[in-house]
Amino acid sequence: MKKQRQIIGDATILFAGDSGDGAQTVGAQLTHTSAIAGNDVSTLPDYPAEIRAPAGSLAGVSGFQLHFSSKEIHTPGDLSDVLVAFNPAALKISLSRLKPNGILILNLDNFGQRNLKLAGYNEDPLEGEIRNKYQAFPVELTRLTRDALVETNLSNKEKDLCKNFFALGLVFWLYNRPMDYTLKWIESKFASKPQFIEANILALKGGYAYAEATEQIAVSYEVESAKFSRGTYRNVTGNLGTALGLIAAAQQADLQLVYGSYPITPASDILHELARYKNFGVKTLQMEDEIAAVCAAIGSAFSGALAATGTSGPGFALKGEAIGLAVMTELPLVVLNIQRAGPSTGMPTKTEQADLLQALYGRNGESPIPVLAASRPSDCFDTVYEAAKIALKYMTPVVFLSDGYVANGAEPWLIPEVSDLPTISANFATDPDSFLPYQRAPETGSRPWAVPGTVGLEHRIGGLEKSDLTGDISYDPENHEKMSYLRAQKIANIANDIPRTDVFGSDSGNLLVIGWGGTYGALRTAVSNQRNAGASVSHLHLRFLNPLPNDLSSIIQNFERVMIAELNLGQLNKIIRSEYLVDTIAYNKIQGQPFQVTEVETKIEEVLKVEN
C-alpha cells in the first residue's frame, strides 16, 4: 500500500513510560539521528524524582521530549505532535502535553486493569474522549516485539526490554528518519552482549516495517534540513558543554584543571565527563562530601591550578563557608551550581532558578563574588569559559549558574576554532623583591598569585582578615573596612569587561522582557512571535548577574514597562527594582518545568493590553 508523505516545518515528539521502558534512550537516538539529518534540535529530558518508584506508578514516569525543525528553534516545543505512552501512568502524566488531534501511540499490552488502577484510572481511558480528541493508535508493542524476536534465544523478559526500539522504529518511519546512526550505536552499546545487538536491531526494523504495513497509520512526514552557518557541529548537552569549557579554559591558560565534586543531581554528569579527559591532565576528585570537594578545589587553586567544584543548590549551601574562605584568600575558583527545585531535597530532577540570591548573598559577612548564568546548552561552554577567565584575571571565586533544563537538554553546537577562543592567562608572581601578597593591580584590583614553594614569596593564608599589602593577620577595624571595600571594588571592576548588552528587537518601546539562564528559549521565541504580530516588545537576556552590565540602566529607561521572567518567586526582579528604582513586573513560574512559549506570549499580551 502506497502511503502519503507530507513535508512539514518541524515536529515535537514525546516518549513517556517507566524508567525501565527506555524513553530516554530512544529519545536520545532520535535526537542524534535528527541532528545528523541536518535538523535544528532542542530536547527536554524529564526524569522521575523517585529512584525506584513502583512500576506503573505516576511517580515513576520518565519522559523525553524532542523538537526538530527545518528552521532555527530555541525550545523543545510546548505541546507535542506525537506522544508515545508505554503505560497508563505515562498517558495520564503526559496527555496534557499532546496537541489536539495529535498522534497518540499506546502500548496496548500494558493497559490491563492493574496498570490502569496504578495510574488512577477507574475505567479504560481509550473508551472515553481520547479517540475523538486525538489520533489514537493502540499498538501491541510487547506482543509485536516478542514476535519480531521469536527466533532469538532471549527470554520473554529480555525481549520486552527491546520494545522501546520497536516504538522508535515506528517513529522513524513516521518521520522518514534514517536508521544508520542508531544501528551503529546499538552495535557499540551492546558490544559485550551480542545477543542484544541482534535483538534491538530486529526490534527497530520490526517497528519500522509495522508502521509501513499497518493501515492504522496512513501518512508519514518529512522535516527538511535546516540552514546552519558553515562549520563543524556536534550535539551537546549543557553539562557536556560545561565540562568542555573548563577543559578549554585550562588548556588556554596552560594550567592543570582540578575538579573537586560530590555526586548530586543534576550536576553529576560534569564529574563523569571530566573524568574521561585524563589525557589533558584533568584531575577529578570525587570527595566524601560537598565541603571536602570545595576545600580540595581551594587547595588546588592555592597550588596554582585552575580549580573548579560543582554541585546543585543543597550542595552549594554546604559549600558556603569554604567559598567565603576563597573570597578572603582571594584565590581563583569556579563554582558550578546546576540548579534544581528546592528547598532542601525539593524535586531533585526538576528545574528551577531559585538559587540566585543564594549565589549573590549566601555567605557570611561582606563576600561579593561574580555570578554568571548560561542560557542554553551550547552557551554553557562560552559562559563557563568566561567564568574561568574572570576567576584568573581578578583572583576571585566565580559562580557559574546552570539549571536542570539547560544541563540535561541538548542542541547543535558549532565547535569553535581554538584560535578564536579568548586569551586566558595566569599572572603568577615571580619577583621576591617586589612581592607583596595583597598589592593590587591598578585596573583590576586583583592581588598576585604566588605558587607555594617559590623562593621569597612566602605569605600567610587562611580565613582570618588580612592586612592591606602585607597580608599579615589583622584585627584592626579600619583595615577590615578598607579590605571589605577593596574586595567589593574588585568585583565591581569586572563590569568594565562586560561587552555591550544586545537587545533583541528595538532599543526602545512599550515593553522590555528581561530574563536570565534557561528561560532564554521560551522568552526569545515568544518575543519574536509577538514582534511578528506587530507588538512593541523587546528581549534582553543577562549572562552577568553580578556585577550587572554598565549599560543596563540606560537600556531599561528606554522602555515604558519592564517585565522580568524567572523560574522562581522573583529574585532577579528584587535586584533590578532595588538597583535601578524601576517599577518592574514580575512574571514567575515555579513548577519544576520550564516556561512554555504560549504562557509567555499570553503574559506579554496581558501587559501590553493594560498599558494601552
Side-chain angles (χ1 to χ4, degrees):
M1 180 178 64
K2 188 174 182 179
K3 297 186 178 183
Q4 181 183 355
R5 176 176 294 172
Q6 295 180 5
I7 304 295
I8 57 176
D10 67 324
T12 301
I13 317 298
L14 172 58
F15 295 94
D18 280 329
S19 294
D21 285 331
Q24 305 295 333
T25 298
V26 294
Q29 291 308 303
L30 183 57
T31 300
H32 292 309
T33 296
S34 299
I36 291 171
N39 300 132
D40 196 5
V41 298
S42 180
T43 70
L44 174 60
D46 193 5
Y47 303 99
E50 298 292 333
I51 296 175
R52 296 185 181 275
S57 67
L58 298 176
V61 173
S62 176
F64 189 104
Q65 185 163 311
L66 162 67
H67 184 195
F68 56 95
S69 175
S70 59
K71 297 180 180 179
E72 184 181 20
I73 56 174
H74 302 294
T75 75
D78 283 2
L79 299 179
S80 58
D81 299 289
V82 176
L83 167 62
V84 180
F86 288 103
N87 61 22
L91 176 65
K92 189 159 195 176
I93 290 290
S94 307
L95 189 59
S96 61
R97 293 164 62 182
L98 180 63
K99 294 177 181 176
N101 201 41
I103 296 174
L104 176 60
I105 299 172
L106 304 165
N107 182 10
L108 193 59
D109 293 321
N110 272 350
F111 275 69
Q113 286 301 313
R114 180 179 178 277
N115 282 340
L116 289 171
K117 186 176 180 181
L118 279 171
Y121 285 115
N122 295 321
E123 56 185 27
D124 189 345
L126 297 180
E127 301 301 324
E129 296 182 357
I130 284 181
R131 291 187 183 274
N132 297 325
K133 191 173 181 179
Y134 306 100
Q135 300 179 59
F137 298 128
V139 179
E140 296 172 295
L141 280 178
T142 305
R143 181 187 66 80
L144 290 169
T145 302
R146 291 180 181 181
D147 289 347
L149 308 185
V150 68
E151 295 185 2
T152 67
N153 294 323
L154 300 181
S155 66
N156 281 340
K157 185 177 181 180
E158 291 172 323
K159 291 175 183 176
D160 293 348
L161 295 174
C162 303
K163 66 179 179 294
N164 59 332
F165 279 98
F166 192 98
L168 180 61
L170 199 157
V171 174
F172 272 3
W173 181 89
L174 191 60
Y175 285 96
N176 195 34
R177 306 278 89 177
M179 289 189 282
D180 297 357
Y181 174 85
T182 300
L183 294 174
K184 292 178 181 178
W185 181 87
I186 290 172
E187 291 175 355
S188 173
K189 175 69 175 179
F190 299 102
S192 61
K193 299 178 180 179
Q195 69 275 24
F196 284 107
I197 295 177
E198 178 191 17
N200 283 308
I201 289 176
L202 286 172
L204 181 69
K205 292 182 177 180
Y208 195 97
Y210 173 81
E212 194 170 37
T214 182
E215 295 182 2
Q216 284 195 84
I217 304 174
V219 180
S220 66
Y221 305 92
E222 184 170 352
V223 178
E224 297 178 329
S225 299
K227 294 181 180 180
F228 291 96
S229 302
R230 292 182 63 85
T232 303
Y233 289 80
R234 65 166 294 174
N235 253 22
V236 67
T237 64
N239 280 344
L240 174 57
T242 301
L244 295 177
L246 285 173
I247 295 168
Q251 291 293 304
Q252 286 291 90
D254 195 23
L255 297 175
Q256 183 179 62
L257 175 62
V258 179
Y259 185 73
S261 189
Y262 179 77
I264 184 171
T265 300
S268 299
D269 284 344
I270 299 172
L271 174 62
H272 302 158
E273 191 63 34
L274 287 174
R276 300 173 54 198
Y277 288 89
K278 295 181 178 66
N279 57 315
F280 282 94
V282 177
K283 293 289 188 296
T284 51
L285 308 172
Q286 180 173 319
M287 305 302 290
E288 65 269 25
D289 56 44
E290 297 283 5
I291 299 172
V294 64
C295 287
I298 293 171
S300 300
F302 177 57
S303 70
L306 174 57
T309 184
T311 187
S312 189
F316 189 77
L318 291 170
K319 294 178 190 289
E321 182 181 0
I323 296 172
L325 173 63
V327 171
M328 174 59 74
T329 56
E330 299 190 47
L331 288 169
L333 173 69
V334 180
V335 183
L336 315 177
N337 181 356
I338 317 303
Q339 300 166 97
R340 71 190 202 190
S344 190
T345 305
M347 299 193 297
T349 61
K350 309 303 179 183
T351 196
E352 203 165 273
Q353 290 183 300
D355 293 347
L356 176 57
L357 294 181
Q358 180 183 205
L360 292 172
Y361 306 117
R363 294 160 299 283
N364 68 298
E366 293 292 342
S367 51
I369 56 178
V371 178
L372 287 74
S375 60
R376 51 202 184 278
S378 61
D379 185 52
C380 286
F381 178 93
D382 294 328
T383 303
V384 80
Y385 188 95
E386 181 75 19
K389 180 180 179 180
I390 290 171
L392 294 173
K393 182 176 180 178
Y394 288 86
M395 291 293 288
T396 178
V398 179
V399 173
F400 164 88
L401 293 177
S402 177
D403 55 61
Y405 170 58
V406 172
N408 295 320
E411 65 180 0
W413 173 51
L414 176 60
I415 301 174
E417 297 291 336
V418 173
S419 59
D420 293 336
L421 293 175
T423 301
I424 296 183
S425 59
N427 299 313
F428 292 110
T430 56
D431 183 6
D433 294 333
S434 61
F435 175 68
L436 286 171
Y438 283 84
Q439 186 175 47
R440 300 182 182 277
E443 292 185 0
T444 63
S446 62
R447 79 175 187 92
W449 196 3
V451 174
T454 305
V455 177
L457 303 189
E458 297 85 357
H459 61 286
R460 293 183 180 274
I461 200 76
L464 291 172
E465 181 62 276
K466 305 297 185 293
S467 179
D468 186 27
L469 299 179
T470 66
D472 294 335
I473 294 172
S474 173
Y475 296 104
D476 177 66
E478 292 184 356
N479 177 77
H480 174 58
E481 183 172 277
K482 180 180 181 180
M483 293 296 282
S484 296
Y485 275 113
L486 286 173
R487 288 188 290 262
Q489 185 59 50
K490 180 176 70 171
I491 304 306
N493 290 341
I494 296 171
N496 297 325
D497 286 352
I498 300 176
R500 178 181 177 276
T501 304
D502 290 328
V503 177
F504 174 76
S506 303
D507 293 332
S508 61
N510 292 343
L511 177 63
L512 175 66
V513 177
I514 297 179
W516 64 277
T519 61
Y520 171 85
L523 300 186
R524 177 57 55 89
T525 304
V527 169
S528 179
N529 291 345
Q530 286 293 303
R531 287 185 60 80
N532 290 337
S536 176
V537 57
S538 299
H539 174 217
L540 184 155
H541 214 75
L542 291 171
R543 172 183 286 179
F544 289 86
L545 298 167
N546 191 46
L548 292 166
N550 286 330
D551 58 358
L552 183 56
S553 176
S554 60
I555 292 172
I556 287 175
Q557 292 172 13
N558 289 333
F559 290 86
E560 295 178 15
R561 304 299 298 274
V562 175
M563 183 177 87
I564 301 176
E566 308 176 74
L567 299 180
N568 57 43
L569 296 182
Q571 297 187 13
L572 178 63
N573 186 59
K574 289 182 174 68
I575 295 165
I576 297 296
R577 288 174 71 95
S578 64
E579 186 73 20
Y580 303 113
L581 301 179
V582 58
D583 187 17
T584 56
I585 301 164
Y587 177 48
N588 307 112
K589 179 178 180 178
I590 190 161
Q591 301 174 11
Q593 296 293 327
F595 281 123
Q596 291 190 353
V597 174
T598 52
E599 294 174 334
V600 180
E601 286 199 63
T602 299
K603 183 62 177 181
I604 290 173
E605 291 170 354
E606 174 189 316
V607 172
L608 292 175
K609 183 177 180 180
V610 170
E611 183 67 25
N612 293 331

